[in-house]
Amino acid sequence: MLQIHQVPVLSDNYVYLVHDPEDGMTAAVDPAESEPVAEALAARGWSLTHILLTHHHHDHVGGVAALKAASGCTVVGARADAGRLPGLDHPVADGDTVTLGRATAQVLAVPGHTRGHIAYWFDAESALFCGDTLFVLGCGRMFEGTPEEFWGSLSRLRDLPDSTRVYCAHEYTAANARFALSVEPDNPELVAWAGEIDDLRRRGLSTVPSLLGREKLANPFLRADRPALASAVGLAGAAPVEVFAEVRRRKDRF
């Protein structure tokens, strides 16, 4: 139903254009810059009707003002972060839905990276726009949340179907793979995937989206309740949130 186009911006960000070809509605997810987004819209003959924001950081909202001024689009974002989201028209909270043409996204509250972070899950399209909460083989830094909040958010995303395509907001995958291998060097799924990632990046190709089913097998931040991961970080038998916090600390120092 939806057409999804990835727009590389800044040094390693991705903006996503989400388009319903039947009624012409188009959303930009986390527009860090305006010009590349406007150029991508013009190249496809699409008109911007919505902006979907996952959180308030500048590398996700930097293009909002210019795009809204040019298009008159509706800006959607977290009610909990209303004071930090530019141009917000439609505040949403966990459990709300956002309609884009014939498609509907469920709003998921996923705090941890920031306290008001949300994700948009288009169930029928198997598409998850998760900002900086979940990356390919990684997760965002824990700037405002607690380990309990962040692990709860990641566990919630992990519960989505394996077929879910993960549209995260950064091309951090090669570095994430190197870190993941330092934690679980004998994970066969991870080893195989890391080789594919190296090949994609050598050819200048994106590693995003990934499949959530694959993330569940290889992303250490989704595996904190797996005995093999706990043992690998010296915390056999520890609570999953303790394991997650330790993995996050190691990544911060990596």
Side-chain angles (χ1 to χ4, degrees):
M1 187 183 301
L2 293 177
Q3 297 174 358
I4 300 172
H5 176 69
Q6 186 184 78
V7 184
V9 299
L10 302 177
S11 61
D12 52 28
N13 279 66
Y14 291 130
V15 178
Y16 297 100
L17 299 181
V18 185
H19 177 71
D20 184 334
E22 184 168 293
D23 67 9
M25 285 192 175
T26 306
V29 183
D30 286 350
E33 292 185 292
S34 60
E35 286 191 14
V37 174
E39 290 170 1
L41 288 164
R44 285 155 187 79
W46 296 350
S47 297
L48 189 65
T49 57
H50 295 76
I51 290 175
L52 306 182
L53 300 177
T54 63
H55 65 294
H56 70 88
H57 286 159
H58 184 71
D59 63 336
H60 293 253
V61 305
V64 170
L67 289 169
K68 183 177 179 179
S71 67
C73 65
T74 298
V75 179
V76 182
R79 179 177 294 114
D81 247 356
R84 301 193 290 181
L85 298 175
L88 183 65
D89 299 301
H90 183 45
V92 293
D94 186 61
D96 288 346
T97 57
V98 176
T99 300
L100 183 71
R102 297 166 295 161
T104 300
Q106 182 179 344
V107 177
L108 306 175
V110 285
H113 179 65
T114 67
R115 66 174 182 264
H117 204 301
I118 59 175
Y120 301 89
W121 179 41
F122 289 87
D123 182 5
E125 285 73 33
S126 297
L128 173 69
F129 297 93
C130 52
D132 288 359
T133 295
L134 177 64
F135 294 135
V136 182
L137 291 177
C139 76
R141 285 183 177 269
M142 193 165 54
F143 287 125
E144 297 176 8
T146 66
E148 290 79 8
E149 287 174 328
F150 214 149
W151 172 242
S153 296
L154 291 170
S155 298
R156 187 178 191 190
L157 295 182
R158 190 180 67 177
D159 286 341
L160 298 177
D162 287 358
S163 58
T164 301
R165 290 169 291 157
V166 178
Y167 290 94
C168 60
H170 289 277
E171 182 58 70
Y172 290 165
T173 309
N176 289 343
R178 289 192 295 272
F179 170 73
L181 285 168
S182 78
V183 177
E184 278 196 296
D186 298 323
N187 182 325
E189 177 66 24
L190 173 59
V191 171
W193 197 358
E196 295 173 27
I197 289 162
D198 285 343
D199 180 62
L200 287 170
R201 296 310 293 155
R202 275 195 300 269
R203 292 186 286 143
L205 300 177
S206 173
T207 63
V208 185
S210 67
L211 282 178
L212 187 58
R214 204 170 194 190
E215 297 287 341
K216 295 175 187 181
L217 296 174
N219 187 330
F221 294 99
L222 296 183
R223 292 171 50 77
D225 57 353
R226 303 302 192 247
L229 193 284
S231 295
V233 297
L235 290 173
V241 69
E242 295 178 39
V243 178
F244 166 75
E246 174 61 20
V247 176
R248 185 62 259 176
R249 281 193 293 268
R250 290 187 181 205
K251 181 62 167 67
D252 291 343
R253 300 192 300 263
F254 188 73

